[in-house]
Amino acid sequence: MEHDALIDSFGRRITSLRISITGTCNLNCYYCHNEGQSRHRSQMSPEHIVNIIKTASKLGVKKVKFSGGEPLMRQDFEDILVSIPKFRNISATTNGVMLSKRAVSLKSAGLDRVNVSLDTLQPETYAKICQCNEDIHHMVLDGIQSAVHAGLTPVKLNMVMLKGVNEHELDDMMSFVRTFDRDVILQIIEPMDFGNYGGRVNVDAIERDLGSRASQVVERKMHRRKKYMVDGAEVEVVRPIDNSRFCAHCSRLRVTADGKLKPCLLVDDNLVDVSTAGIHELERLFYQAVNLRKPFYKG
Ligand code: SAM
């Protein structure tokens, strides 16, 4: 049966689904936005997650990103991956702590690539940001190596730029990325102020610096993010704050760990509960959630 495409009332077509498969995480990063939810332990059954993703596929979604909490906290992540339909791209965002042991099985189960959260190359700074033991940093670096070897590439390193904490590490991060010869991309993220931390980083200055050193600058369709090629390091900049272009080109629908369709990361009062919906009802609820989408920052 032919389905109408998921297009919101602002003409934005939904091609990407970001689904939290658990609210549980093994780290406690002080800036974490928890994908726009308060911290909780709930999670859906694998069957329900698969039904939601199948529905998204039927309605024209091309890309799926698994998130959390920490998606690798779920031992049945591979089972979920083998049960979902083919997409143009299936990825996960992970803190990488448990990635080294799972990279090969995740790839075999159908995961195309991963984003790994890595804000710093300094174990001490890492421990402060993630409120964990310094040794964990090494496990994440191992996880990145394993992901590259398993072919979960390009691996994107998510570096949330934190004022006075890791801003000075940009060049070190680019050097680190270069050691992987294009298999790893650095993604600089402007933090969203969900708590009180440190003040706002000057992302304009960072982009000017990257622009002045780049041999090539490309604008991605997704959120109109810019990508800079600097001496063989690929650096993408994600700027969600006060950015009407970001919102105007948003093609993403979110699913929370407790089973709610979330039209926008920054809005909490328009969630559509799909936690108990059967496969046929899910389609209707997808359209309902998409109709509730509004650009958070308007042009
Ligand atoms: N635990 C997984 C991980 O580390 O990727 C998935 C959940 S985590 C919330 C997903 C991504 O959100 C991380 O890469 C992190 O960098 C980013 N993130 C978390 N809090 C943020 C904030 N306040 N502003 C911008 N990005 C944030």
Side-chain angles (χ1 to χ4, degrees), residues 254-267:
R254 293 171 175 267
V255 188
T256 65
D258 57 351
K260 302 203 169 85
L261 297 179
K262 191 169 181 357
C264 172
L265 172 64
L266 296 166
V267 180

PDB file of all heavy atoms in Angstrom, residues 254-267:
ATOM      1  N   ARG A 254      12.039  12.146  16.700  1.00  0.00           N
ATOM      2  CA  ARG A 254      12.676  11.398  17.793  1.00  0.00           C
ATOM      3  C   ARG A 254      11.687  10.451  18.449  1.00  0.00           C
ATOM      4  O   ARG A 254      10.483  10.719  18.446  1.00  0.00           O
ATOM      5  CB  ARG A 254      13.177  12.375  18.862  1.00  0.00           C
ATOM      6  CG  ARG A 254      14.291  13.236  18.374  1.00  0.00           C
ATOM      7  CD  ARG A 254      14.620  14.341  19.363  1.00  0.00           C
ATOM      8  NE  ARG A 254      15.778  15.056  18.885  1.00  0.00           N
ATOM      9  CZ  ARG A 254      17.025  14.787  19.224  1.00  0.00           C
ATOM     10  NH1 ARG A 254      17.287  13.867  20.124  1.00  0.00           N
ATOM     11  NH2 ARG A 254      18.026  15.453  18.692  1.00  0.00           N
ATOM     12  N   VAL A 255      12.238   9.386  19.036  1.00  0.00           N
ATOM     13  CA  VAL A 255      11.432   8.502  19.870  1.00  0.00           C
ATOM     14  C   VAL A 255      12.135   8.397  21.216  1.00  0.00           C
ATOM     15  O   VAL A 255      13.337   8.110  21.272  1.00  0.00           O
ATOM     16  CB  VAL A 255      11.291   7.088  19.266  1.00  0.00           C
ATOM     17  CG1 VAL A 255      10.288   6.272  20.067  1.00  0.00           C
ATOM     18  CG2 VAL A 255      10.896   7.137  17.798  1.00  0.00           C
ATOM     19  N   THR A 256      11.397   8.656  22.295  1.00  0.00           N
ATOM     20  CA  THR A 256      12.005   8.597  23.621  1.00  0.00           C
ATOM     21  C   THR A 256      12.075   7.143  24.093  1.00  0.00           C
ATOM     22  O   THR A 256      11.355   6.266  23.588  1.00  0.00           O
ATOM     23  CB  THR A 256      11.192   9.422  24.633  1.00  0.00           C
ATOM     24  OG1 THR A 256       9.904   8.814  24.779  1.00  0.00           O
ATOM     25  CG2 THR A 256      11.023  10.864  24.191  1.00  0.00           C
ATOM     26  N   ALA A 257      12.896   6.915  25.099  1.00  0.00           N
ATOM     27  CA  ALA A 257      13.114   5.546  25.578  1.00  0.00           C
ATOM     28  C   ALA A 257      11.843   4.925  26.138  1.00  0.00           C
ATOM     29  O   ALA A 257      11.670   3.709  26.109  1.00  0.00           O
ATOM     30  CB  ALA A 257      14.209   5.554  26.646  1.00  0.00           C
ATOM     31  N   ASP A 258      10.924   5.775  26.630  1.00  0.00           N
ATOM     32  CA  ASP A 258       9.678   5.228  27.172  1.00  0.00           C
ATOM     33  C   ASP A 258       8.549   5.246  26.132  1.00  0.00           C
ATOM     34  O   ASP A 258       7.378   5.129  26.474  1.00  0.00           O
ATOM     35  CB  ASP A 258       9.262   5.961  28.455  1.00  0.00           C
ATOM     36  CG  ASP A 258       9.100   7.452  28.246  1.00  0.00           C
ATOM     37  OD1 ASP A 258       9.470   7.944  27.167  1.00  0.00           O
ATOM     38  OD2 ASP A 258       8.606   8.136  29.160  1.00  0.00           O
ATOM     39  N   GLY A 259       8.914   5.417  24.857  1.00  0.00           N
ATOM     40  CA  GLY A 259       7.940   5.199  23.795  1.00  0.00           C
ATOM     41  C   GLY A 259       7.055   6.386  23.456  1.00  0.00           C
ATOM     42  O   GLY A 259       5.841   6.250  23.303  1.00  0.00           O
ATOM     43  N   LYS A 260       7.662   7.556  23.308  1.00  0.00           N
ATOM     44  CA  LYS A 260       6.886   8.719  22.862  1.00  0.00           C
ATOM     45  C   LYS A 260       7.551   9.305  21.630  1.00  0.00           C
ATOM     46  O   LYS A 260       8.781   9.440  21.589  1.00  0.00           O
ATOM     47  CB  LYS A 260       6.829   9.758  23.974  1.00  0.00           C
ATOM     48  CG  LYS A 260       6.212   9.191  25.239  1.00  0.00           C
ATOM     49  CD  LYS A 260       5.644  10.269  26.133  1.00  0.00           C
ATOM     50  CE  LYS A 260       4.826   9.652  27.234  1.00  0.00           C
ATOM     51  NZ  LYS A 260       5.595   9.231  28.406  1.00  0.00           N
ATOM     52  N   LEU A 261       6.747   9.638  20.641  1.00  0.00           N
ATOM     53  CA  LEU A 261       7.291  10.344  19.480  1.00  0.00           C
ATOM     54  C   LEU A 261       7.518  11.778  19.922  1.00  0.00           C
ATOM     55  O   LEU A 261       6.636  12.411  20.516  1.00  0.00           O
ATOM     56  CB  LEU A 261       6.316  10.288  18.303  1.00  0.00           C
ATOM     57  CG  LEU A 261       6.009   8.888  17.761  1.00  0.00           C
ATOM     58  CD1 LEU A 261       5.000   8.959  16.610  1.00  0.00           C
ATOM     59  CD2 LEU A 261       7.277   8.180  17.282  1.00  0.00           C
ATOM     60  N   LYS A 262       8.714  12.290  19.633  1.00  0.00           N
ATOM     61  CA  LYS A 262       9.088  13.633  20.126  1.00  0.00           C
ATOM     62  C   LYS A 262       9.408  14.502  18.919  1.00  0.00           C
ATOM     63  O   LYS A 262      10.449  14.333  18.280  1.00  0.00           O
ATOM     64  CB  LYS A 262      10.305  13.491  21.051  1.00  0.00           C
ATOM     65  CG  LYS A 262      10.653  14.746  21.862  1.00  0.00           C
ATOM     66  CD  LYS A 262      11.682  14.397  22.928  1.00  0.00           C
ATOM     67  CE  LYS A 262      12.122  15.497  23.837  1.00  0.00           C
ATOM     68  NZ  LYS A 262      11.679  16.829  23.698  1.00  0.00           N
ATOM     69  N   PRO A 263       8.502  15.417  18.589  1.00  0.00           N
ATOM     70  CA  PRO A 263       8.689  16.206  17.380  1.00  0.00           C
ATOM     71  C   PRO A 263       9.929  17.117  17.401  1.00  0.00           C
ATOM     72  O   PRO A 263      10.475  17.450  16.368  1.00  0.00           O
ATOM     73  CB  PRO A 263       7.409  17.045  17.296  1.00  0.00           C
ATOM     74  CG  PRO A 263       6.382  16.233  18.038  1.00  0.00           C
ATOM     75  CD  PRO A 263       7.146  15.590  19.156  1.00  0.00           C
ATOM     76  N   CYS A 264      10.386  17.536  18.582  1.00  0.00           N
ATOM     77  CA  CYS A 264      11.560  18.430  18.637  1.00  0.00           C
ATOM     78  C   CYS A 264      12.296  18.191  19.945  1.00  0.00           C
ATOM     79  O   CYS A 264      11.673  18.098  21.007  1.00  0.00           O
ATOM     80  CB  CYS A 264      11.094  19.886  18.557  1.00  0.00           C
ATOM     81  SG  CYS A 264      12.406  21.102  18.842  1.00  0.00           S
ATOM     82  N   LEU A 265      13.623  18.144  19.858  1.00  0.00           N
ATOM     83  CA  LEU A 265      14.430  17.929  21.070  1.00  0.00           C
ATOM     84  C   LEU A 265      14.131  18.969  22.149  1.00  0.00           C
ATOM     85  O   LEU A 265      14.134  18.679  23.333  1.00  0.00           O
ATOM     86  CB  LEU A 265      15.928  17.993  20.689  1.00  0.00           C
ATOM     87  CG  LEU A 265      16.949  17.990  21.835  1.00  0.00           C
ATOM     88  CD1 LEU A 265      16.897  16.678  22.614  1.00  0.00           C
ATOM     89  CD2 LEU A 265      18.357  18.218  21.318  1.00  0.00           C
ATOM     90  N   LEU A 266      13.866  20.194  21.691  1.00  0.00           N
ATOM     91  CA  LEU A 266      13.770  21.301  22.639  1.00  0.00           C
ATOM     92  C   LEU A 266      12.369  21.546  23.190  1.00  0.00           C
ATOM     93  O   LEU A 266      12.168  22.480  23.964  1.00  0.00           O
ATOM     94  CB  LEU A 266      14.279  22.587  21.967  1.00  0.00           C
ATOM     95  CG  LEU A 266      15.769  22.535  21.599  1.00  0.00           C
ATOM     96  CD1 LEU A 266      16.134  23.648  20.645  1.00  0.00           C
ATOM     97  CD2 LEU A 266      16.633  22.586  22.829  1.00  0.00           C
ATOM     98  N   VAL A 267      11.403  20.736  22.759  1.00  0.00           N
ATOM     99  CA  VAL A 267      10.019  20.957  23.195  1.00  0.00           C
ATOM    100  C   VAL A 267       9.496  19.697  23.891  1.00  0.00           C
ATOM    101  O   VAL A 267       9.713  18.584  23.422  1.00  0.00           O
ATOM    102  CB  VAL A 267       9.119  21.302  21.974  1.00  0.00           C
ATOM    103  CG1 VAL A 267       7.684  21.533  22.405  1.00  0.00           C
ATOM    104  CG2 VAL A 267       9.657  22.527  21.252  1.00  0.00           C
TER     105      VAL A 267
END
